[in-house]
């Protein structure tokens, strides 16, 4: 059963609710946020022109740069007296992006996160180990309040501290874990290193997000940790986690809380709205937010929307797993490459582990992509055993096996993504692990 009735409304009912909420939020920002008054005026649109949800295309977009230009408090629609929480996301350059919540926003956040936990099958019978970082990052507190709202017992361990994570998994009997997918894999590595028997761990589900990951990565996480891995999505500017989430019944697209966060897919070049099914940039209007609602916020995330009713009974539109951020897309000799595409090609080979980093260099005028990937511990062990037999022939065969693997991956990348790449096979545990969002790309090209 979904958490709220609004998750299963008919399209008509939903559209009515969205229209009312859109009108309200337009009035709010026009009256309270000078930035929006100016933007609306420039487009010659008044809140009264917004009569239903389709009118949304008359409204201006908001970009990340607008948040930076109005740093820190310029986009608040409430006086500081009514702001009860401030979060920020660290930009890679310059000042962080600041976001604010009043009491109603915090309540809304707990509620949409309760939907997320319910989607993942988490109830008051569960023990939730929350390994998202607490702090300015929205993952920790966002998941915390949502898990509490469904009545689960929350362990606020935060990110990092891998050995302690494992100790608590065993001793506290955690049945659900929240973390980035890359941290989940790291926890698994350490479980193996510590020779912990997986039977002593009761985990059954993980709520993973905050970074792009692939179906192949999901399979790895599910098989290794013997759990269901649920994809959850969100961004600080809109609310944090709680924008959309997969359901455990189908694991087929993320139910987007479109009664509060109106989604559009646009062509990132032209800004034109695209129909259901087509891939483009996700744009969200946070219609129910009060302290800092955003109009048509360009998330930079590439996905598509599917309006079909899900077998779990929810009618909310489903977004496909995010392929990546438009600004993380690498252009290698004219070919667009998302790190997630490389991930899914790598994980087709059983001999490699899901730990990789992509390096891009420029030699002369040419871009070169080098994919560093770890071979799996099993593959390494098999090779070591043979080589240790001191049989020279076995040694040569192993070398051949490595060359074959490298060539196979290079060929797959070329065939599937369309770029030439150099693959460097690394020994297990040689690529830095992440306890938060993984860094997948080192781009050494001159800016
Ligand atoms: O990452 C909020 C969050 C916390 C989501 C915990 C899920 C779980 P930010 O730090 O502002 O907020 O980063 C937002 O992360 O625009 C996406 O590019 C990326 N992202 C978040 N979830 C996913 C996901 C949090 N499930 C940015 N798949 C977003 C792919 C994701 N990318």
């Amino acid at each position: 059963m979904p958490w709220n009735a609004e998750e299963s409304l008919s399209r008509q009912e939903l559209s009515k609710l969205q229209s009312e909420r859109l009108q309200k939020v337009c009035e709010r920002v026009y009256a309270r946020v000078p930035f929006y008054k100016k933007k609306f005026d420039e487009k010659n649109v008044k809140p009264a022109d917004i009569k239903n949800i389709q009118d949304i295309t008359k409204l201006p977009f908001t970009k990340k740069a607008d948040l930076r230009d109005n740093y820190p408090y310029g986009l608040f629609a409430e006086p500081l007296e009514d702001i009860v929480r401030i979060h920020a996301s660290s930009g890679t350059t310059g000042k962080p992006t600041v976001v604010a919540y009043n009491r109603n926003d915090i309540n809304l956040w707990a509620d949409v996160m309760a939907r997320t936990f319910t989607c993942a099958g988490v109830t008051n019978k569960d023990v939730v180990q929350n390994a998202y970082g607490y702090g300015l990052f929205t993952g920790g507190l966002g998941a915390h309040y949502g898990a509490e709202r469904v009545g689960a017992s929350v362990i606020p361990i935060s990110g990092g501290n891998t050995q302690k994570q494992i100790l608590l998994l065993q001793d506290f009997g955690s049945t659900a874990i929240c973390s980035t997918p890359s941290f989940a894999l790291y926890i698994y590595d350490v479980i193996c290193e510590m020779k912990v028997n997986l039977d002593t761990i009761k985990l059954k589900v993980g709520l993973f997000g905050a970074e792009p990951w692939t179906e192949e990565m999901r399979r790895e996480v599910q098989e290794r940790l013997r759990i269901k891995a649920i994809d959850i999505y969100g961004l600080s500017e809109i609310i944090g986690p709680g924008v959309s989430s997969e359901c455990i019944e189908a694991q087929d697209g993320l139910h987007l809380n479109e009664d509060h966060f109106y989604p559009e897919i646009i062509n990132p070049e032209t800004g034109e709205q695209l129909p259901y099914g087509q891939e483009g940039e996700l744009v969200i209007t946070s219609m129910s937010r009060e302290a800092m609602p955003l109009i048509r916020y360009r998330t930079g995330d590439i996905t598509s929307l599917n309006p079909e009713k899900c077998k779990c009974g929810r009618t909310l539109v489903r977004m496909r797993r995010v392929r990546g951020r438009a600004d993380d897309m690498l252009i290698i000799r004219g070919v667009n490459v998302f790190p997630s595409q490389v991930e899914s090609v790598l994980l087709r080979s059983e001999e490699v582990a899901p730990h990789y980093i992509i390096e891009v260099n420029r030699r002369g005028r040419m871009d070169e992509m080098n994919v560093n990937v770890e071979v799996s511990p099993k593959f390494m062990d098999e090779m070591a055993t043979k080589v240790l037999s001191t049989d020279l022939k076995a040694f040569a065969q192993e070398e051949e096996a490595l060359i074959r693997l490298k060539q196979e991956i290079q060929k797959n990348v070329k065939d599937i993504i369309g770029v030439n790449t150099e693959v460097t096979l690394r020994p297990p545990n040689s690529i830095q692990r992440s306890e938060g969002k993984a860094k997948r790309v080192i781009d050494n090209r001159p800016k």
Side-chain angles (χ1 to χ4, degrees):
M1 275 289 281
W3 180 253
N4 296 130
E6 284 78 12
E7 292 171 77
S8 320
L9 295 178
S10 69
R11 279 274 129 209
Q12 209 181 4
E13 290 165 318
L14 189 60
S15 179
K16 185 162 171 278
L17 189 63
Q18 289 170 329
S19 299
E20 286 163 13
R21 289 184 173 163
L22 182 66
Q23 282 170 324
K24 233 167 109 184
V25 75
C26 286
E27 277 158 22
R28 170 175 280 269
V29 295
Y30 191 79
R32 294 175 178 225
V33 185
F35 163 82
Y36 277 121
K37 173 157 193 321
K38 186 160 168 272
K39 281 269 209 181
F40 278 44
D41 288 346
E42 276 166 12
K43 276 214 128 199
N44 217 355
V45 52
K46 295 269 175 291
D49 300 329
I50 305 304
K51 304 214 162 44
N52 60 48
I53 194 69
Q54 281 77 32
D55 289 330
I56 198 161
T57 52
K58 297 182 182 158
L59 297 170
F61 289 116
T62 310
K63 295 188 175 153
K64 199 175 186 91
D66 296 323
L67 272 75
R68 294 218 188 93
D69 294 347
N70 290 282
Y71 176 86
Y73 295 165
L75 293 183
F76 291 7
E78 292 277 348
L80 264 187
E81 294 92 295
D82 294 322
I83 304 287
V84 298
R85 181 95 63 79
I86 295 174
H87 279 280
S89 72
S90 51
T92 38
T93 49
K95 298 252 164 71
T97 308
V98 178
V99 294
Y101 306 71
N102 70 3
R103 244 174 245 294
N104 290 340
D105 294 327
I106 295 287
N107 187 38
L108 169 70
W109 196 8
D111 217 51
V112 287
M113 277 308 284
R115 291 184 184 183
T116 291
F117 280 101
T118 308
C119 256
V122 172
T123 67
N124 59 0
K125 297 200 175 62
D126 283 290
V127 177
V128 174
Q129 185 157 328
N130 187 11
Y132 282 123
Y134 283 66
L136 288 178
F137 176 54
T138 51
L141 285 167
H144 184 102
Y145 277 60
E148 275 191 359
R149 182 146 300 182
V150 299
S153 319
V154 189
I155 307 172
I157 182 166
S158 192
N161 234 329
T162 316
Q163 300 211 346
K164 186 140 176 213
Q165 298 277 357
I166 295 166
L167 182 86
L168 298 200
L169 282 175
Q170 292 182 283
D171 293 355
F172 290 13
S174 315
T175 51
I177 188 163
C178 307
S179 75
T180 56
S182 50
F183 188 39
L185 278 176
Y186 183 34
I187 292 178
Y188 175 78
D189 282 354
V190 180
I191 288 179
C192 296
E193 258 168 52
M194 290 167 65
K195 303 207 167 17
V196 168
N197 180 349
L198 264 184
D199 292 339
T200 61
I201 292 179
K202 290 198 198 148
L203 266 191
K204 49 178 200 192
V205 66
L207 291 87
F208 302 121
E211 65 185 9
W213 56 313
T214 55
E215 255 334 289
E216 289 79 4
M217 178 76 104
R218 186 217 297 274
R219 216 176 40 233
E220 296 268 347
V221 174
Q222 295 199 144
E223 278 171 12
R224 287 172 185 217
L225 284 167
R226 302 189 205 147
I227 57 173
K228 285 272 191 181
I230 301 294
D231 191 5
I232 72 169
Y233 167 86
L235 61 164
S236 325
E237 295 88 325
I238 296 304
I239 199 152
V243 172
S244 65
S245 133
E246 285 181 330
C247 61
I248 196 157
E249 293 90 339
Q251 289 183 296
D252 182 17
L254 291 82
H255 297 277
L256 201 154
N257 294 315
E258 59 175 321
D259 50 332
H260 300 299
F261 313 120
Y262 188 76
E264 299 168 78
I265 298 291
I266 62 160
N267 173 334
E269 310 286 314
T270 62
E272 168 210 6
Q273 204 183 60
L274 299 175
Y276 283 138
Q278 272 195 37
E279 188 175 87
E281 179 179 347
L282 177 67
V283 168
I284 301 180
T285 301
S286 46
M287 301 178 294
S288 311
R289 290 291 310 278
E290 292 182 355
M292 199 182 134
L294 296 181
I295 305 294
R296 304 192 84 198
Y297 183 68
R298 294 190 57 162
T299 67
D301 293 321
I302 304 296
T303 181
S304 60
L305 298 175
N306 168 10
E308 276 167 39
K309 183 174 171 180
C310 179
K311 70 174 181 197
C312 72
R314 291 175 180 83
T315 52
L316 294 171
V317 73
R318 277 176 283 165
M319 62 183 252
R320 215 177 55 197
R321 172 189 283 291
V322 169
R323 187 195 282 281
R325 298 185 53 76
D327 42 13
D328 285 345
M329 189 181 75
L330 296 163
I331 305 180
I332 310 289
R333 277 172 259 138
V335 182
N336 298 349
V337 182
F338 282 102
S340 62
Q341 287 174 294
V342 175
E343 176 177 304
S344 80
V345 172
L346 290 176
L347 298 185
R348 285 169 177 229
S349 304
E350 276 183 7
E351 295 88 351
V352 299
H355 303 293
Y356 66 95
I357 189 141
I358 302 167
E359 230 182 289
V360 189
N361 291 302
R362 180 160 298 157
R363 183 158 309 167
R365 291 213 195 139
M366 293 290 268
D367 293 334
E368 288 180 350
M369 184 164 93
N370 186 349
V371 178
N372 296 272
V373 60
E374 286 183 12
V375 296
S376 71
K378 187 163 162 264
F379 184 66
M380 194 72 180
D381 282 351
E382 282 167 11
M383 292 216 316
T385 329
K386 286 189 193 159
V387 170
L388 282 179
S389 71
T390 61
D391 171 353
L392 264 181
K393 197 166 141 218
F395 188 78
Q397 277 171 353
E398 287 325 306
E399 217 179 31
E400 261 173 41
L402 276 176
I403 294 171
R404 236 194 343 263
L405 177 59
K406 174 183 154 100
Q407 285 173 343
E408 172 193 300
I409 300 173
Q410 288 181 174
K411 181 172 183 306
N412 285 346
V413 173
K414 174 78 187 159
D415 290 351
I416 298 165
I417 308 178
V419 284
N420 286 314
T421 180
E422 180 63 28
V423 169
T424 308
L425 298 173
R426 303 260 178 220
N429 286 320
S430 58
I431 290 177
Q432 194 176 1
R433 301 295 191 260
S434 123
E435 295 176 337
K437 297 188 190 232
K439 184 168 168 50
R440 302 292 194 195
V441 177
I442 303 175
D443 196 337
N444 296 320
R445 289 176 293 187
K447 292 279 166 316

